[in-house]
Amino acid sequence: MAALPTATRPPAEPRPAGPVITKPGIYLVRMLVFLVLIGFLAFVLFRQITPAFLANPGLNGLILGVLLIAVLLAFGQVLRLFREATYVNAVAGGGQARAPHLLKPLEPAVAARAEGATLPGTRAFLDTVAARLDEGRDILRYIAGLLILLGLLGTFWGLIDTLSAVGSVIRSMRGGGDAAVMFDELKNGLAVPLSGIGLAFSASLFGLAGSLVIGFLDLQAGQAHARFHNELEDWLTSGTETAAPLAAAPGTGARELQEAVDRLTGVIQEGANGRAAAQAMANLAEGIQGLVQHMRSEQQMIRDWVEAQASRERELKQVLDRLGRERV
């Protein structure tokens, strides 16, 4: 009986001459330049902005505070990629490094790719990393909408004060008096409605401006995440894929899948560390890949058998037709 082929380790690829993951420094530069331009514009318009801010310093200060928090979060989303890129470049260059939190599920795949191979199921872990990156930016999207809502809140607040003040002025006016006195009363009474209008438009101004700033920073963070994910995916999937052989005995893929599930269950029950759990997940993905390839092999065998039977039937039909014509 012929021996089953065994999987051989692919030859190690030469180490890359440069970094495989580009650090997102260019996006930090864009964000800083944009903030400098915004600060310069605020400095030029300082005299016009100050009365608008003082119209309601409480609400406008809250908007600026939320804006500052969002700016720090946006920079944090880009700065975190430096650790991830440093780790991948260190492992790709043959060094040793501890996997950051974001790339913890991909630690076995990164180590295997550094040796010139690609683990099955790597794309599933890449999707997990993409989901984590996207979740980190959810708070930025929420804050951008929150700033607009705070501006609208100030708008309605100011309109309510304006309508109430106008109603009070109308009720306080006395008829039949001197026209000059009535005009002075009307002028003094309209000071409060005008302050309410200033409250409404100042809050909207700061809310919309803050949302504009956060929108640009979120755009730069999204572009940095997308480039990091694309470069990581290109590097991880460019190696030689190591998978189970196709010429396996019937049921081998199912047995491998069951063994991988048992190992993963044992790791979870024993409370193993993250490295062991990630390795067990990689083994599970490898078992699933072997089962899928075994099923594809069987499907191909069935298709070949069906095509062979159809070919024999066509040949038999041609022979019968020829015999029928010769008898005639």
Side-chain angles (χ1 to χ4, degrees), residues 177-189:
D178 188 7
V181 174
M182 294 180 61
F183 180 76
D184 291 337
E185 293 179 352
L186 179 62
K187 182 177 65 175
N188 295 330

Side-chain angles (χ1 to χ4, degrees), residues 35-55:
L35 291 180
V36 169
L37 292 177
I38 294 297
F40 178 75
L41 181 62
F43 176 76
V44 173
L45 301 177
F46 179 76
R47 292 186 177 181
Q48 291 81 2
I49 294 177
T50 301
F53 178 82
L54 295 178

Side-chain angles (χ1 to χ4, degrees), residues 19-25 28 72-92 96-104 106-107 110 129 132-133 136 224-225 228 232 235:
V20 297
I21 302 296
T22 306
K23 294 185 178 180
L28 285 179
L72 296 178
L73 290 175
F75 275 90
Q77 290 297 317
V78 179
L79 289 173
R80 68 183 298 190
L81 297 180
F82 280 89
R83 299 192 304 269
E84 322 297 334
T86 301
Y87 161 71
V88 176
N89 292 334
V91 176
Q96 297 292 331
R98 185 177 180 181
H101 174 70
L102 179 63
L103 294 182
K104 197 67 177 180
L106 279 173
E107 186 174 6
V110 172
V129 172
R132 289 186 177 185
L133 290 172
H225 289 176
F228 171 78
L232 181 63
W235 180 68

Side-chain angles (χ1 to χ4, degrees), residues 98-99 101 104-105 107-108 263-283:
R98 185 177 180 181
H101 174 70
K104 197 67 177 180
E107 186 174 6
R263 287 196 298 270
L264 178 60
T265 304
V267 169
I268 295 175
Q269 291 177 353
E270 294 173 3
N273 55 17
R275 183 184 294 271
Q279 184 63 39
M281 289 293 294
N283 293 335

Side-chain angles (χ1 to χ4, degrees), residues 8-14 112-117 239-240 242:
T8 59
R9 186 181 185 83
E13 295 182 353
R113 179 61 186 87
E115 300 297 331
T240 304
T242 58

